[in-house]
Amino acid sequence: MRESDSDPANPLSWQVTGMDCASCAAKIRSAVERLPGVSDVRLSVMSETLSLSLAAGGTTAAEVERRVAGLGYDLAPAKPAAAAPMPESPSCGCGHDHDHGHEAGHRHASQDGHGHAHDHSREGHGQAHSHGGTGKKADAKADAGHGLPGHVHETTPEGMSWYQTGKGRLVLLTGALLAGAWLASLAWPAGSYWLFVAACLIGVAPVARRAFAAAAAGVPFTIEMLMTIAAAGALVIGAAEEAALVVFLFAVGEVLEGVAADRARASIRALGDLVPKTALVEENGTTRQVDAAALAIGQIVLIRPGDRVPADGEIVSGISGIDESPVTGESVPKTKGVGDPVFAGSVNREAALRARVTRAAQDNTIARIIRLVEEAQEARAPTERFIDRFSRVYMPAIVALAIAVALVPPLFFGGEWAVWIYRALALLLIGCPCALVISVPAAIAASLSAGARQGLLLKGGVVIEAAAKTGTVAFDKTGTLTEGTPRVTEVVALGRSEREVVELAAAVETGSSHPLAQAILARAETDSIPVRPASEAAAIAGQGVTGKLDGVAIFVGAPRHAMSRAAFDATAKAAVERLETDGKTVAAVIADGVLAGLIALRDEPRADAAAAVTELKALGVRSVMLTGDNARTGAAIAGSLGMDHKAELMPDDKVAAIRELSAQAPVMMVGDGINDAPALAAAGIGVAMGSGTDVALETADGAVLKSRVRDIAAMIRLARATMANIRVNIALALGLKAVFLVTSVLGYTGLWVAIMADTGATVLVTANALRLLRFDAGKTS
């Protein structure tokens, strides 16, 4: 595929192996955009693809391949790019406006005393829940050196472990040599030196190759060049052990970056697995199974109870409860009927439905969530390692200064060549960056270790730096600030006792797996109330459930439907208004045509949620709740915790909210569900609850493994302590070098003192970094 494919209307695409971060993509983009006739360059880190258009008579596909391969990446053969349509805006995709929770009725299967299944419906009165589904993705952020010529990654092919890759084997080999050398030093010190030399040379060889390739491309001062000079300098001065250790740690970091990127891509595939692979299409009164990806707009699909919805569509017949938690995060299934929209990936819980497809597979809700994650990843450039940024100035300055010290005094002031060359060599030794190279990763490693012991997972140095700068924390509600499941918060006895009210309601809820039904049954168990199944149980679609217990006719449903079956006096109406104002779902219980009482249910905040908001405020960090729930529920929960809120948000709305908040201060997003994945990726740093879904955990840059909200403040404290430690390390390393730089130029210190200064700085910064191992992130003072 060459000039004949150079048609801007038919772009070319390649699979690029080794593109693990946004800066790697930026490097490729910069390289290929310089080629004549190249336009519309697009790269996706998550899918590892490069697409572009070539003008006729300009650069050929082969030249593009050679340019990218020259940067150290592998390309699969070029092929026409898929022309998947992209939405103009990340809307919900069904073409309808949505009322989140204002008609959030719930339906579930219940059983009568004979074991016959029937529907059970009741209006939720505005109570919608934000709840996660299943799945996971990790942001493949990386530290520095990224984006520079010569800095490449090696991805792990699907099914292959990290230790089976070239870099993995290199880490194992150099690690084994290091261990062997340390053991040999106990019995044979002289021989161990050469093992350290071998470990260093083997580890630094591929780094050196990339360093020289970068230099040939016009960028000589890279992290690879820094590592090469550091290793070579350490070997020259006899510090082979230090050289081998630094090279080993650098190699380990590269392997970990590749592993993180591979996990991120696997999690994106897991998101796509939420949509079923096949669908039942109804044509001329018969059904046939087809590939869900081939569904066309306008086709009618049959969705059986228990099936996942295969495409975004609109119900044309049937009424059923739809679990939309994989998409919207609402934990309470919504009753939907003719004309209502359904989203791909949601689950039909009760009755069979027929739906008309309204969106093609590549543009359904789950596909858009995946695109949102990918776009958020690529819109956010990673922070470079401080040492690599600084080396762009530091290394050239040291080399230039050393050359000047060696040449200027003898040439212009009659100095002795031997004296000034000696001083120049001492200056170069002082400029050896070993202490700088080890200082930052040592602090990061200690911080990650301390955090892991305390249940705080941070995925690398870039994440730590971002967490330290956090000015606003945006929380999802359900499963993050709240427990994730509704429970009975209050029973209002009116015509009967509280115990009788719960007993009657539990009788018609027996056998149901619905969250609200389970909450009522749990309350009965807590109060030691025996539960007996109601007879003649039946559901009234969209209203409630009926049954009989000991000859008493029972109805349980939303108050507005119950009012047509029993009289509500002023006290009852006031109680309903108070409970609903608090954002609670209210179930009215009627016995023989008389209002027996009210049951209020709500997903309550976690026990430590309010304390967490207080701790964040003490750190100068603002807290905001982002939820798919209706405004009343959101306001009630946020108000009880003393934080701001934004309600009735779809996944793309959360992304927009994150971007709005980010304009004011760096944002950390905390969530637990699939619907939180785009917002987690869009935020400066995304943190998942340990009890959350796989997609949330993988998308996030970090996680609080114990699912404690207070651990968010602990994570920020740990990150800030780490950055403070790093600043001290840098000051120690550069301060000592600055002092001895002056004394070496003036002739007060020689080569051996320069060696001691470099080694001493390395010891000091390492010891300071290890202090983080004892840091208690849970302490508020």
Side-chain angles (χ1 to χ4, degrees):
M1 181 177 302
R2 298 296 179 256
E3 288 83 359
S4 60
D5 299 305
S6 301
D7 179 4
N10 184 25
L12 307 181
S13 71
W14 289 263
Q15 195 75 23
V16 183
T17 302
M19 184 169 55
D20 289 350
C21 63
S23 287
C24 293
K27 176 178 66 176
I28 296 174
R29 178 181 291 106
S30 177
V32 298
E33 282 180 340
R34 291 190 176 97
L35 295 172
V38 174
S39 62
D40 194 25
V41 179
R42 299 183 63 182
L43 294 106
S44 172
V45 175
M46 287 298 98
S47 60
E48 291 185 289
T49 56
L50 160 66
S51 65
L52 51 81
S53 297
L54 298 179
T59 301
T60 66
E63 289 171 333
V64 172
E65 292 169 1
R66 284 195 296 271
R67 173 61 64 91
V68 177
L71 297 174
Y73 299 92
D74 295 326
L75 283 80
K79 62 181 183 297
M86 296 290 288
E88 293 184 3
S89 62
S91 62
C92 73
C94 62
H96 294 272
D97 293 330
H98 301 285
D99 186 7
H100 299 287
H102 298 297
E103 281 291 320
H106 88 267
R107 291 174 60 87
H108 57 274
S110 184
Q111 292 183 341
D112 60 21
H114 303 286
H116 299 294
H118 55 79
D119 287 337
H120 175 184
S121 303
R122 132 166 103 251
E123 291 297 325
H125 282 269
Q127 175 71 355
H129 298 269
S130 179
H131 176 64
T134 57
K136 180 172 190 177
K137 166 192 162 288
D139 180 13
K141 283 184 181 177
D143 288 46
H146 293 74
L148 297 178
H151 186 100
V152 298
H153 298 273
E154 179 182 89
T155 56
T156 305
E158 192 171 353
M160 180 182 290
S161 300
W162 67 268
Y163 53 80
Q164 295 174 301
T165 66
K167 286 187 178 179
R169 289 192 294 268
L170 181 63
V171 166
L172 294 177
L173 176 59
T174 54
L177 288 172
L178 273 175
W182 278 321
L183 291 175
S185 65
L186 301 177
W188 187 34
S192 67
Y193 174 82
W194 294 108
L195 285 176
F196 282 124
V197 171
C200 176
L201 293 177
I202 291 173
V204 83
V207 178
R209 283 198 299 270
R210 301 203 302 269
F212 290 120
V219 186
F221 300 108
T222 62
I223 189 69
E224 285 80 11
M225 185 63 75
L226 187 70
M227 286 298 307
T228 302
I229 294 175
L235 289 179
V236 169
I237 64 176
E241 180 177 354
E242 184 179 11
L245 178 60
V246 169
V247 170
F248 171 72
L249 290 175
F250 184 77
V252 169
E254 288 197 318
V255 169
L256 291 178
E257 288 173 359
V259 170
D262 293 331
R263 288 175 63 85
R265 295 180 183 111
S267 65
I268 287 292
R269 290 192 294 269
L271 265 177
D273 290 342
L274 290 175
V275 179
K277 303 301 180 187
T278 60
L280 291 175
V281 173
E282 189 175 284
E283 295 174 341
N284 302 320
T286 62
T287 60
R288 62 185 178 91
Q289 185 169 289
V290 301
D291 186 346
L295 287 173
I297 295 175
Q299 285 186 303
I300 303 298
V301 294
L302 174 65
I303 310 169
R304 300 168 300 187
D307 285 353
R308 285 188 180 271
V309 178
D312 283 6
E314 182 179 284
I315 297 174
V316 295
S317 70
I319 299 176
S320 184
I322 304 295
D323 178 5
E324 296 181 342
S325 59
V327 181
T328 67
E330 297 181 27
S331 58
V332 178
K334 299 177 69 173
T335 300
K336 293 197 171 187
V338 176
D340 290 332
V342 289
F343 304 139
S346 55
V347 182
N348 180 19
R349 288 297 187 190
E350 298 155 18
L353 296 172
R354 294 169 64 246
R356 179 183 296 107
V357 177
T358 57
R359 292 274 179 172
Q362 65 267 28
D363 199 26
N364 65 38
T365 304
I366 296 298
R368 271 195 312 282
I369 289 178
I370 292 173
R371 276 202 295 272
L372 282 170
V373 172
E374 292 180 347
E375 289 168 3
Q377 294 276 352
E378 287 144 27
R380 178 179 53 196
T383 305
E384 292 181 311
R385 297 174 200 167
F386 172 84
I387 191 62
D388 187 50
R389 293 198 305 267
F390 184 78
S391 70
R392 297 181 183 182
V393 178
Y394 174 77
M395 289 301 296
I398 289 294
V399 171
L401 183 59
I403 293 173
V405 167
L407 298 179
V408 172
L411 289 176
F412 298 100
F413 302 101
E416 296 184 20
W417 283 98
V419 170
W420 289 102
I421 288 176
Y422 181 87
R423 292 181 181 181
L425 289 175
L427 183 61
L428 282 177
L429 286 177
I430 290 172
C432 179
C434 292
L436 281 173
V437 169
I438 200 69
S439 62
V440 176
I444 295 298
S447 176
L448 296 178
S449 177
R453 289 201 313 271
Q454 298 172 60
L456 309 174
L457 175 63
L458 288 161
K459 299 178 182 178
V462 171
V463 178
I464 291 175
E465 185 175 347
K469 297 176 180 177
T470 299
T472 300
V473 176
F475 291 95
D476 172 48
K477 182 180 77 67
T478 305
T480 302
L481 287 173
T482 67
E483 296 292 346
T485 55
R487 65 182 180 87
V488 175
T489 62
E490 187 176 350
V491 178
V492 179
L494 295 171
R496 293 178 180 248
S497 68
E498 288 187 15
R499 187 177 181 85
E500 288 178 304
V501 171
V502 174
E503 181 181 15
L504 293 172
V508 294
E509 300 286 10
T510 303
S512 172
S513 60
H514 192 280
L516 298 183
Q518 289 296 305
I520 292 174
L521 292 169
R523 177 59 177 259
E525 182 179 355
T526 300
D527 292 348
S528 300
I529 299 174
V531 178
R532 294 173 293 156
S535 62
E536 301 180 22
I540 303 175
Q543 294 189 31
V545 65
T546 62
K548 285 189 176 182
L549 183 68
D550 296 335
V552 176
I554 306 167
F555 172 84
V556 178
R560 64 176 177 144
H561 295 298
M563 287 179 183
S564 64
R565 297 170 176 268
F568 277 58
D569 59 18
T571 300
K573 291 179 180 178
V576 170
E577 183 177 357
R578 174 179 61 83
L579 295 172
E580 291 185 346
T581 300
D582 289 341
K584 299 179 180 180
T585 296
V586 181
V589 181
I590 295 176
D592 283 337
V594 177
L595 179 62
L598 305 171
I599 298 178
L601 306 96
R602 191 172 74 173
D603 182 13
E604 291 293 275
R606 293 179 186 266
D608 66 337
V613 174
T614 300
E615 289 184 23
L616 288 170
K617 190 176 298 183
L619 291 172
V621 178
R622 175 191 178 198
S623 299
V624 180
M625 183 178 76
L626 306 180
T627 178
D629 277 355
N630 61 76
R632 182 172 55 197
T633 300
I637 296 293
S640 67
L641 298 177
M643 62 193 304
D644 298 329
H645 76 283
K646 293 178 182 291
E648 302 182 8
L649 304 177
M650 290 290 283
D652 47 347
D653 297 325
K654 289 187 178 181
V655 172
I658 289 294
R659 289 172 178 162
E660 179 183 341
L661 293 170
S662 297
Q664 304 167 20
V667 175
M668 173 188 289
M669 172 68 192
V670 185
D672 77 315
I674 286 179
N675 58 300
D676 299 321
L680 289 170
I685 171 175
V687 176
M689 301 297 284
S691 59
T693 65
D694 287 346
V695 168
L697 288 169
E698 285 292 352
T699 302
D701 305 301
V704 286
L705 301 181
K706 298 178 183 178
S707 294
R708 297 183 304 206
V709 186
R710 290 184 63 189
D711 280 351
I712 299 301
M715 180 177 287
I716 293 175
R717 280 193 290 268
L718 176 61
R720 290 181 179 180
T722 303
M723 295 310 298
N725 187 282
I726 287 174
R727 286 191 289 270
V728 171
N729 276 354
I730 292 170
L732 284 172
L734 296 182
L736 285 173
K737 291 183 183 299
V739 170
F740 286 102
L741 182 149
V742 174
T743 57
S744 295
V745 171
L746 296 178
Y748 295 116
T749 52
L751 290 177
W752 70 272
V753 176
I755 295 171
M756 289 296 294
D758 182 69
T759 303
T762 301
V763 171
L764 283 175
V765 298
T766 302
N768 184 55
L770 293 178
R771 292 172 52 245
L772 287 169
L773 292 173
R774 300 192 301 272
F775 184 80
D776 184 358
K779 286 188 177 180
T780 57
S781 56

